[in-house]
Amino acid sequence: MPLYEHVFISRQDLSNTQAEGLVEHFSTVITDNGGTIVESEYWGVKTMAYKINKNRKGHYAFLRTDAPSEAVQEMERLMRLHEDVMRVLTVRVDEHEEGPSVQMQKRDERGDRRERRP
């Protein structure tokens, strides 16, 4: 089955438990349609670069899935209909990276970055 990575942003006025409940809800949609959840991460409330629906912040969540395209399409359809979800991004990948995502790593673990120019 194809491998996917999903990131979605939900409204800032939700509680942390409600936002994590959305992750669980959409995970069950994938599993009910024949897919599996490889990993899920709740990134917390983050400030966005621009306003979306008059919101400056949002709850970010990340899913790694191994699912047929029909399951992904059904999950995306339900996300678009859900009033608490503001944005969705789904990307098909060749393989999942091991370990936590870049957002969950500490700054020291991320590795060397280029030096900033003056």
Side-chain angles (χ1 to χ4, degrees):
M1 284 190 276
L3 303 174
Y4 295 95
E5 292 182 350
H6 315 275
V7 176
F8 67 93
I9 307 170
S10 54
R11 289 190 339 214
Q12 68 182 1
D13 57 350
L14 297 177
S15 68
N16 288 347
T17 55
Q18 288 174 318
E20 291 174 359
L22 284 176
V23 174
E24 295 298 321
H25 171 69
F26 294 122
S27 297
T28 57
V29 171
I30 291 288
T31 55
D32 290 347
N33 288 301
T36 57
I37 303 296
V38 176
E39 184 181 0
S40 67
E41 295 177 353
Y42 171 67
W43 291 347
V45 177
K46 298 200 176 284
T47 304
M48 296 182 281
Y50 55 90
K51 286 185 180 180
I52 300 174
N53 299 338
K54 299 181 182 178
N55 291 303
R56 273 273 183 218
K57 296 183 179 186
H59 291 272
Y60 282 68
F62 176 69
L63 297 170
R64 289 182 177 148
T65 62
D66 182 7
S69 62
E70 295 83 17
V72 173
Q73 289 172 353
E74 178 64 16
M75 184 188 71
E76 286 181 336
R77 184 185 74 84
L78 292 174
M79 282 183 173
R80 283 192 303 268
L81 293 174
H82 203 285
E83 63 185 16
D84 293 333
V85 177
M86 295 188 297
R87 287 287 189 273
V88 180
L89 174 68
T90 300
V91 179
R92 184 174 175 181
V93 295
D94 293 329
E95 62 184 35
H96 291 300
E97 294 181 11
E98 293 295 321
S101 65
V102 175
Q103 289 290 327
M104 296 301 285
Q105 293 175 2
K106 295 179 183 173
R107 287 191 179 264
D108 299 336
E109 297 173 1
R110 290 186 190 170
D112 296 330
R113 292 181 8 182
R114 294 186 312 174
E115 293 289 326
R116 291 191 180 187
R117 295 181 186 163

